Amino acid sequence: MALADKKINPIKKFVTFCLFALLILSFGVWGIGDIFQGPQHTYSVAQVGKVAIGQQEFSRNLRQELARLAPQFGGRLDIEQAQAFGVVQQVMDRLTTRALFEQHANDLGLVVTTDQLLEQIRSLPAFQDQATGRFDSFAFQNALLNSGLSEEAFLQGLTGDIQRQQVVNAISGAVTMPRAMAEALYRYSAETRTADTVVFRNDSITDLPAPTDEQIRTYYDQNSGDFLAPAFRSLSVLQIDPAALTDEVAVADERLREEYELRIDAYSVPERRNVSQVLFPNQEAANDALAKIREGRDFAAVAAEAGVGAPVSLGLISRAELADQLPALAEGAFAAEEGGVSEAVESPLGWHLAQVSEIQEGSVSPFEEVVEDLRATLQLTLATDTAIELANALDDTMAGGATLEEAAASLGLKIERFDRVDRSGSDENGETIEALPNDRTFINTAFSTEIGDESLLTETAQGGYFVVRVHEDIPAAAKPLDEVRADVIAGWEAAERARLLTEQAQVLVEAVNNGGDFAALAQEAGLIPTATPAMRRFNTTPTPGIPLDLPSKLFELEEGKADVVEDAEGIMVARLSNITAAPDAEADTAIAALQSNLVNRIQGDLVTQFTDTLNESYRVEINHQNLDTVLSQF
């Protein structure tokens, strides 16, 4: 398929704006937009019981999520970034959760009646006549046409989402929050407090003496956990890496040419046309409209005069995309000239006229431009096949009683020894060990295998394989004092400076709490008080000059009393200057919002707990090969 063909099908744009958003409002937990996916691909990326998650469905959801997040990444989020930030896994988790609920609903035998479906469909504004507010069957059929869905496929998808919502309602629908509880929480959380503060700054201590050897040793002993070397393991590793085998794979020029011809769609940009279409109830009405248009009348005006609604834009679309949905309309639209209108063509829904406002010519990348990329792709594919064969042979040889060394020698594989590997895959100098498998599964396996044992043959996410033997476990231990002496001295100096400043601050606190005037005492110490803004009990938003611990400290004090809190620049003394109760003027609105928020959070917690239970009840199987196929298309 050409790169341009991989865009979201323009036929479905109508559904996106007229149906998708409205249905999401009705089924916000799940996103019922997935019912517009059309027939599932033969292959699935995951299976939950009898419910399959198809490649098409996963690809579409991932593209939507990438598009949503792209503005946060400078306008583009590529698949490598998406995997690194966990976006791919989040999409998979969301889809498998939907499948879990669907499978559970099926097992419960939940039934959605025809009356329920009709009621739901008739309630959607997208299917209603704008003038009367009543259900309009023509609008319904036109919407299905432009989504590329049959009525049966639409109803099947809607049935699944109603079933899932029935399960969710049974779990969390009865959750309530008493007003008295919400009001108490509001009064508690909306109270504000302000303080007057001064800071005894770190840089005010300039004559700190050098620590003695005894002080350095004592600080090191008391804080040895700050100077730990990580835990290491000594490993032997046999790995089969397809990327390392590509140099051994030769691809003949004839094979490259054959593959180019087989994959020509991948190197082609098809002709695309900007198409708008109108649906008529019969051929006579369509031909009558066509005659008026060819006399020079406006396409949209003629459609409005015929009472069939405004033309529906299908956007820039290829012949193949349009033919997948409506073959007859594709023939008509791609036979018309630019700026022209097609002959009337018939589909199961009626008679169509298609207007072509723009034609973008197609193109094909020549063989010479893509041959090296094609060679690399084929080499990796063939190397992956070789890796699979070697892995199977290794497994069979060891199953026959051979040791790892014997099996490796018989297959020409290498076993490498790594004496110090930490949990990040780095050596004792903190450098990444490039020779190890670049896969988190490897590190997890290396640190979960018993000392003296070797792991099973394990596959990596990149299609490679490894066996790891653990020779020795080297626990985390404090680095020698001589090695970290400079860091220990720096730590001692910071602690000593904080101790001296705290002593000064405590003198001020004691004087204030004994009735002294805060401003006058601060002035005597050469400090200028600063008033804080009003802060709530759970104020977690960072504010310049306000330590994160200050709000909680203020809510422990009596009005007029003071205490110390650590500050980035030293030690702060804060005196609670004012307590303001939660405002009554906004109480009703805030309490209602709090009730709603708490109910939603409790409902979410219940659904999460139930989802965890379903995960234990049903087996979620991920087909990594099909998943990799989807990801390779991004």
Side-chain angles (χ1 to χ4, degrees), residues 29 168 256 381 388 569:
V29 173
V168 172
L256 288 169
T381 299
I388 293 172
E569 297 181 344

Side-chain angles (χ1 to χ4, degrees), residues 240 384-400 407 411 413 457 459 465:
I240 303 171
T384 300
D385 293 340
T386 301
I388 293 172
E389 293 173 1
L390 283 171
N392 288 333
L394 178 68
D395 212 21
D396 292 342
T397 304
M398 294 180 67
L411 297 170
L413 299 173
L457 180 65
E459 184 177 4
Y465 299 86

Side-chain angles (χ1 to χ4, degrees), residues 329-379:
L329 184 58
E331 290 300 319
F334 277 79
E337 297 179 354
E338 185 170 4
V341 177
S342 71
E343 298 291 336
V345 294
E346 185 181 15
S347 81
L349 293 175
W351 288 80
H352 305 257
L353 292 180
Q355 183 182 54
V356 179
S357 59
E358 178 188 0
I359 297 177
Q360 291 185 356
E361 298 295 335
S363 63
V364 179
S365 298
F367 175 77
E368 291 73 21
E369 285 186 7
V370 301
V371 63
E372 292 308 318
D373 286 341
L374 180 58
R375 187 190 309 277
T377 299
L378 284 178
Q379 284 180 318

Side-chain angles (χ1 to χ4, degrees), residues 261-313:
E261 297 299 334
L262 289 172
R263 304 177 185 218
I264 193 68
D265 284 348
Y267 304 116
S268 302
V269 176
E271 176 187 314
R272 306 182 79 83
R273 296 187 169 206
N274 202 325
V275 178
S276 297
Q277 67 93 27
V278 174
L279 179 66
F280 294 87
N282 53 60
Q283 184 178 16
E284 182 181 359
N287 285 333
D288 181 59
L290 179 60
K292 293 177 181 178
I293 293 168
R294 289 183 173 171
E295 290 173 358
R297 298 279 303 280
D298 179 70
F299 186 60
V302 171
E305 183 180 298
V308 294
V312 176
S313 174

Side-chain angles (χ1 to χ4, degrees), residues 18-19 22-23 26-27 32 35-36 112-129 133-141 143-144 150-159 162:
C18 296
L19 297 175
L22 291 168
L23 289 173
S26 299
F27 298 95
I32 195 172
I35 67 176
F36 295 100
V112 178
T113 66
T114 302
D115 289 341
Q116 286 177 294
L117 288 171
L118 290 176
E119 180 182 357
Q120 183 64 40
I121 292 171
R122 287 169 177 166
S123 69
L124 295 173
F127 301 150
Q128 295 173 353
D129 183 277
R134 295 180 179 178
F135 175 73
D136 185 341
S137 61
F138 183 76
F140 175 63
Q141 292 294 340
L144 292 185
S150 67
E151 186 173 318
E152 179 183 1
F154 173 81
L155 294 177
Q156 182 179 358
L158 183 58
T159 298
I162 293 175

Side-chain angles (χ1 to χ4, degrees), residues 80-111:
E80 289 77 17
Q81 291 173 311
Q83 288 178 297
F85 288 109
V87 176
V88 174
Q89 187 60 51
Q90 290 171 12
V91 172
M92 179 62 77
D93 289 344
R94 185 165 64 244
L95 292 176
T96 54
T97 297
R98 294 184 76 253
L100 284 167
F101 275 80
E102 183 173 343
Q103 182 60 57
H104 186 63
N106 292 337
D107 289 347
L108 291 175
L110 296 182
V111 175

Side-chain angles (χ1 to χ4, degrees), residues 237-249 379-388 390-391 394 413-414 416 434-439 457-467:
V237 181
L238 180 152
Q239 61 174 315
I240 303 171
D241 182 7
L245 298 172
T246 54
D247 291 341
E248 303 174 16
V249 177
Q379 284 180 318
L380 185 58
T381 299
L382 295 173
T384 300
D385 293 340
T386 301
I388 293 172
L390 283 171
L394 178 68
L413 299 173
K414 183 171 62 173
E416 294 184 88
E434 301 293 344
L436 292 175
N438 183 22
D439 190 285
L457 180 65
T458 304
E459 184 177 4
T460 69
Q462 293 76 33
Y465 299 86
F466 68 83
V467 177

